[in-house]
Amino acid sequence: MSAATPTLFAATTAAVPALPVGEVDNRATYISFGLAYALGHGAAALSKGASPLLALPSWLPTTLLGAGLAVGTVYATLAAARAQRGASGSDALSGKLLGASWASAFTALFLAITGLAYTLDMPDVQTILWPTGSGFVVGLMYLGEGAVRRNLLHYGLGTWLALISTAALFLGSPGVFWVLAIAGGGGYAVASVLEARRLTALAKQARR
């Protein structure tokens, strides 16, 4: 998946003219994360539970999810760097702080899940908490970025991810993975389409 990174980034950005300072094309990030959710969580949904539908290697869902998330993180970092070009001092600082908060948030998530599993002596709980917890953290990060950058689509996607990730906890395995694969991956797919329209509208406004 990582070999296609430059091609995917070029394909999703080439069709949009120059954008106003501070605006970011999030389509490559959305597509990468969406594929990670659909393939990674989808494979887990098919292979986990009391009566799995398919007998898949235990490493496959994690590998698919991790590869997609890694590519998406690269795109998100590139997009954040592009957003800071030409920005003023205060806006540039906001962008840097948002970028650093990703590392802080996931470090805190790691400590919370690992500590909880250790305290309760339930290592299997990580199987559920990592997918839902990461979705919740990403959703909150999108909420913050959407608010700072005044991007309603990004904010809306963050709201959706935060809600479905936490609501999925009521279902257990494999239901939680079905929710993340369908609702999470579907949310990213819809956001990718709407992002193209948003960028086109911004480009038209910039030409006026």
Side-chain angles (χ1 to χ4, degrees), residues 59-192:
W59 53 265
L60 183 60
T62 303
T63 301
L64 291 173
L65 180 65
L69 293 180
V71 174
T73 300
V74 171
Y75 285 136
T77 303
L78 291 174
R82 290 167 64 91
Q84 296 179 35
R85 294 177 183 174
S88 62
S90 58
D91 290 338
L93 177 60
S94 297
K96 292 178 181 178
L97 292 175
L98 283 173
S101 61
W102 280 88
S104 300
F106 273 97
T107 300
L109 179 66
F110 169 79
L111 294 174
I113 294 177
T114 305
L116 184 62
Y118 174 79
T119 302
L120 299 179
D121 194 21
M122 297 174 59
D124 292 341
V125 76
Q126 298 190 53
T127 304
I128 297 296
L129 290 184
W130 265 114
T132 55
S134 59
F136 177 63
V137 167
V138 170
L140 293 183
M141 293 300 304
Y142 282 0
L143 283 170
E145 290 181 347
V148 170
R149 295 172 180 163
R150 299 178 180 86
N151 186 331
L152 294 178
L153 174 58
H154 209 60
Y155 188 92
L157 178 59
T159 302
W160 176 251
L161 291 174
L163 290 176
I164 65 166
S165 297
T166 49
L169 287 168
F170 288 95
L171 300 178
S173 181
V176 61
F177 298 107
W178 284 116
V179 170
L180 294 174
I182 297 174
Y188 275 114
V190 172
S192 300

